Amino acid sequence: MSLWIMFALMAASVGIIVLVALRPARATEQTINADLLVYSDQLATLEADLESGQIETGEAETAKIEISRRLLAAGKFSAGNSDIGTGIFSGPTFPVFLATSAVLLSLGVYALNGNPDFAGVPFAGRQSESPQDQSIPALLAQIEEHLAQAPEDGQGWELIAPIYLRLGRFNEAVRAFANAGRILGANAPRLAGLGVALVGVNGGTIIQEARQALVQAVNLDPTLVRPRLLLIIALEQDGNLLEAREAWQSLLRESAEDAPWREAVTTRLAALEERIEGAPGPDQSQIDAAGQMSPEDRQAMVTRMVGQLAARLEADGGPLSDWMRLVRSYMVLQQEDEARAALANARAQYVRDEVAMEQIAATARSLSLEE
Amino acid sequence: MIAEIGHFATLLALSLALLQGSLPIWGAAKGDLRIMNSARTFAVGQFLFVAFAFACLIALYVRSDFSVLNVWENSHSAKPLLYKVTGAWGNHEGSMLLWVLILAFFGALVALFGDNLPPRLRANSLAVQGWISIAFLLFILITSNPFARLFPVPLDGQDLNPILQDISLAIHPPLLYAGYVGFSMAFSFAIAALIEGKIDAAWARWVRPWTLLAWMFLTAGISMGSWWAYYELGWGGWWFWDPVENASFMPWLAGTALLHSALVMERRDALKVWTILLAILTFSLSLLGTFLVRSGVLTSVHAFAVDAARGVFILVIMGIFVGGALTLFAWRAPRLRQGGLFAPISREGALVLNNLFLATATAAVFIGTLYPLLLEALTGEKISVGAPFFNKTFGPLMVPLLILVPFGPMLAWKRGDLLAVAQRLAVVAAFALIVAGAVYWSLNGGPVLAALGVGLAVWLIAGAVFEILWRVKFMRAPFAEAFRRAGGLPRAAWGTMLAHAGVGVVLLGIVGVTSWKTEVITTVAPGETLTVAGSELTFEGISSREGPNYSEEVAQFTVRREGEVVAILEPAKRLYTVRRQPTTEAGIKSFIGGDLYLVLGEATGDGSYIIRIYDNPLVTLIWIGTYIMVLGGMVSLSDRRLRVGAPRKRAAKPVSAPAPAE
């Protein structure tokens, strides 16, 4: 039923109510004298009390006299009530006028404030929309609602966990992977997911808990590449550069020629080797000199060094760690636009390296540079 | 679409209220019965449209239609269905619509069952009801429209404040409002009497059941609110003299006074002007309560409306109704016929004394509640009045009143014999003193005031029972005779007995919990056992649980008494996911002697938890007592003699079943 039909029915009901309200009076109604009713009722009650022995005879007599006195007074008074009659505006015009005014007034105010074209949006109706129309948040909300009611549904957690991970909602991803593992039992993908999510929570740093999950995942299924990549990065992070180099090399040896991660690993390995041979950086004399500089000079020196780094990276590319150092440096220098540009360049270089992309994203987040 | 229908229905209800507020009063002035009686149809019609609008609001909540601002602000798709429904009035806009719904419902009752009311009185009082409806419908439509829309439509709602997601808080506001709004009937009748310049005999007959009904609802509502605060807020207290509580307590005190003065008016045709004034004041205090709670003047759980425009609007409504009513009273009251006179020592005299005490107590609460607000508004200085003020003012006013309660029903109307009554009550007094003494000795000389408090409670309960025994001539006449008399006793007498005894039971609970409460705050490690007030509590551990829209940490405690397991208590800390708001869920076990009450605190980091344990002796009696009072009200209300009786000869015509509250 359309809204306007409903409105018309409601307005018609109001019209009927007004017409019924102002129907011609029944003649009998005006003859009632309410006061007399009350007093005669009181007398009846008194009689009943006397019969059941609730009241002494003497007491009843005085009460009776008093009620009778009031009854007489009321009878006198009711003479003054006889002015009640009917006859004002007795024709049909008056009620019709009132009914029309009432409806028009309501419609007028509604016209000012109402939203007749705005259909209702019940929650259930939105869920039945076809899946391709549904945005990821809507799907998520649907699964979340389901899980809130059935928190022990492992399949649900399993379904939602990778979505969280992709959306960068790492805390929720950790909880989802952990729940899936707890309910369905640990397996390699769940442990790997948990590890990756934990890395995400910590902004790219691979904490002990993440490391344990990743190691377990690799033990269960050595063919999983992503946890291995992260574990090697963990080695780099700890400063075990030689071990890391060996691990990269063995990963390359085991990988097929057309493995998608090959190029990224190669780049990474090159960067690592450069680091092992002596990362380019200020030598002791430069550091000493910096200590004696005025703040302006030091700022200038930092800017110059950052500029050199940027020029080198933009010309030849370079290891991810250098890109990230560049981004951080720009942030220290409060050059946010440059930092964003550097991030974009880094992304362009590592666009096919999933692990690196994640680290870039984590760095961006940690510096509040997220788009 | 439902939202738009609800909006339009509210507007149509306003149109009908405008007619209800204007036509009948004009008809009464002109003496036109047809115009006067139109009030009845308008009142019923207005109720139907408000009810329809309210049904629309509930439907919007149930369907989780987040295109409606109010639903989005106060609901969530994952909320349990029960709280979706009750959430419709768990917020400012919805609760105001509920307020008007109850108002319109009572108006419709008068219209449908008021056959025996004098036509002028009926027309005028329904018109006054119409004015109140107009004021609050305008308030809703202008400042707090529950059907306001929201675009773009959010994906999900913001959820209802978790501490309001509770069954007794779902029932509390409707009960409280039924109480507040019920007093509007007495108010409307008072204004109608003032407009007409005379008080009919039917006036008193009608006002008393309405007042009684409103009083019962308010009693139950306050009791429910207090019970909720006790178990949900996790402080172990049952009354805090919080301004919001006082806001409902003031109309209760004034309403209790009105109940008693209406009794005098009905039976003795006296105290007319005072009863009219009390009726005006009681409803004014109800409006004040609504203002305090709804305007956001008070920062509290209830103040979901922190909006200056709303506060000013309600203040204007209150100014018009209270100021207008009192002006009308000052102008017209001298014209009313004064009622009969009576001796000071009589049932009427006792009831006047009751009114004096209750009115003074209302004034004390009024000052204690409003003075800090006024001071802050004028000077910006914040002061806290709090419990000590009320204990020093309200307490001393209550003690003599309660001592006098058993005397009232024993005194005869018109002329009483105080000495004879005192002699009869001597046996009750002796009994109360013996109990007080026994309490004092059995607790090895515990607090004297506590023993006296118990004595006072016993005096009230035993006094109430004794009054009935005396009336049926128990022990003074053969048993069969007493039994027959008990059967014939008016139900109003039983109601009085229950209500007065209920006060005694409440007092017993209050004395018990304030005098002998034990509170322990300690840390407890899993496996550890504590002993508090005769109960051994073993902390079994902590576990996590997921609720529909919250997750919680639950501690398990096994409670043993004399080696036997008597209860498993699970105090918990909940986190409501949508609002990220934590709540505490106390673990409570009621024993005959009192409550064991556990609140889970923070973890200390080494596996232990901070835990607060209360032993609250007799505390449950506070709420049991209030329900005995409500029961008394029901019994009294069922007394057929309260009704405006139809004459026997008209009995063939099935028109008048004029019980206002069946």
Side-chain angles (χ1 to χ4, degrees), chain A residues 154-169:
Chain A
Q155 296 297 343
W157 291 116
E158 177 117 311
L159 190 65
I160 205 168
I163 304 180
Y164 281 139
L165 194 58
R166 209 170 311 140
L167 292 174
R169 291 165 66 176

Side-chain angles (χ1 to χ4, degrees), chain B residues 35-103:
Chain B
I35 309 277
M36 275 194 259
N37 275 349
S38 68
R40 306 177 76 177
T41 319
F42 289 138
V44 175
Q46 190 215 332
F47 165 68
L48 291 177
F49 274 96
V50 177
F52 187 50
F54 196 71
C56 286
L57 186 64
I58 290 182
L60 291 170
Y61 268 86
V62 170
R63 290 156 62 103
S64 294
D65 190 336
F66 299 120
S67 71
V68 177
L69 178 65
N70 186 251
V71 179
W72 173 71
E73 280 173 344
N74 299 293
S75 193
H76 187 271
S77 60
K79 198 165 68 168
L81 182 64
L82 174 70
Y83 299 130
K84 280 184 186 165
V85 175
T86 66
W89 60 82
N91 62 82
H92 171 78
E93 290 83 355
S95 70
M96 287 322 296
L97 195 59
L98 177 71
W99 206 98
V100 176
L101 175 67
I102 296 173
L103 183 73

